[in-house]
Amino acid sequence: MYEILQADLTAWTPELEKYHALISDPPYELGFMGHGWDKSGLPFSVEFWERMKSGLMPGAFCMAFSSTRTAHRMMVAIEDAGFVIHPMIGWAFG
């Protein structure tokens, strides 16, 4: 049986259960229309990604979406939290 949970990652408590995957679409940190939620710094926080990793089973994967302008900063935080970075899917637009 499969279960998909949708939750605010800042309120997620990974100690409850271990998961096989984390699929995340954190704020892109571009200051979208002046909204404060898009200026949180959350995707660039090593501590945040360490917390997320603690809720995953060994060998689990994380797929995190980001803007092309800020992906590199988020990937460094994810790697510093202990994840292994694999080839990524890039979006091209014109």
Side-chain angles (χ1 to χ4, degrees):
M1 180 161 98
Y2 297 98
E3 180 180 8
I4 296 175
L5 301 177
Q6 179 181 346
D8 178 354
L9 287 178
T10 59
W12 183 49
T13 307
E15 295 79 26
L16 297 176
E17 197 170 344
K18 298 288 185 182
Y19 295 93
H20 294 280
L22 169 64
I23 300 173
S24 174
D25 191 12
Y28 290 0
E29 301 299 316
L30 299 174
F32 179 72
M33 296 178 66
H35 294 287
W37 56 261
D38 199 32
K39 299 177 188 172
S40 66
L42 187 67
F44 312 140
S45 166
V46 175
E47 294 79 21
F48 170 74
W49 293 108
E50 286 173 339
R51 183 172 166 220
M52 295 302 104
K53 188 173 189 298
S54 72
L56 298 175
M57 298 178 106
F61 73 91
C62 167
M63 179 182 287
F65 294 85
S66 180
S67 149
T68 54
R69 290 181 11 204
T70 58
H72 61 288
R73 294 186 64 204
M74 184 178 72
M75 288 171 57
V76 168
I78 290 172
E79 186 175 43
D80 287 349
F83 285 95
V84 175
I85 303 296
H86 290 282
M88 61 181 252
I89 300 169
W91 296 96
F93 57 91

